[in-house]
């Protein structure tokens, strides 16, 4: 399967916070499903991350502006249920 053909097979909502949910939250705030779609659309191999936490540090939105994120958790408990988890 070509890289550009990657589509999710299913989707479900996050139930509790985790580091993976935090990173998905950041990708979805920037207008992408997840890291797979971000790399596909922006044609990059890596995503800039905080070395201490592994959380996403900076993402380029679809309108070519940037979202910058803190080292600490940004996805509050009340936002967790809004995060969509895609299964490939």
């Amino acid at each position: 399967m070509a890289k550009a053909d990657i589509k999710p097979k299913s989707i479900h909502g996050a139930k509790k916070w985790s580091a993976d949910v935090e990173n998905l939250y950041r990708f979805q705030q920037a207008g992408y499903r997840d890291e797979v779609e971000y790399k596909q659309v922006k044609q990059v191999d890596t995503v800039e991350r905080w070395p201490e936490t592994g959380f996403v540090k900076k993402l380029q939105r679809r309108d070519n502006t940037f979202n910058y994120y803190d080292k600490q958790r940004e996805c509050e408990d009340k936002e967790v249920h809004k995060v969509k988890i895609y299964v490939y």
Side-chain angles (χ1 to χ4, degrees), residues 17 22 25-26 68-76:
W17 185 89
E22 178 68 35
Y25 174 78
R26 294 173 186 218
Y68 296 91
Y69 301 99
D70 291 332
K71 293 179 194 174
Q72 305 304 318
R73 174 181 174 175
E74 291 193 10
C75 181
E76 298 177 22

Side-chain angles (χ1 to χ4, degrees):
M1 180 183 289
K3 218 175 181 184
D5 295 341
I6 297 174
K7 300 278 184 209
K9 292 179 183 165
S10 66
I11 179 177
H12 62 277
K15 302 280 189 254
K16 63 179 184 172
W17 185 89
S18 70
D20 290 335
V21 169
E22 178 68 35
N23 281 326
L24 285 171
Y25 174 78
R26 294 173 186 218
F27 282 107
Q28 291 169 18
Q29 289 290 304
Y32 302 95
R33 284 191 304 257
D34 51 24
E35 187 171 351
V36 173
E37 184 183 41
Y38 180 78
K39 287 178 174 180
Q40 188 177 309
V41 171
K42 291 299 176 185
Q43 298 183 353
V44 295
D45 293 326
T46 59
V47 176
E48 200 170 328
R49 296 180 183 272
W50 290 104
E52 302 88 348
T53 60
F55 294 154
V56 173
K57 184 176 187 178
K58 175 179 83 173
L59 292 172
Q60 187 174 9
R61 297 171 48 104
R62 291 180 185 266
D63 62 4
N64 291 326
T65 60
F66 287 89
N67 280 9
Y68 296 91
Y69 301 99
D70 291 332
K71 293 179 194 174
Q72 305 304 318
R73 174 181 174 175
E74 291 193 10
C75 181
E76 298 177 22
D77 285 336
K78 67 181 181 179
E79 302 289 323
V80 168
H81 73 282
K82 296 178 184 177
V83 176
K84 296 176 180 76
I85 300 172
Y86 294 87
V87 179
Y88 292 91

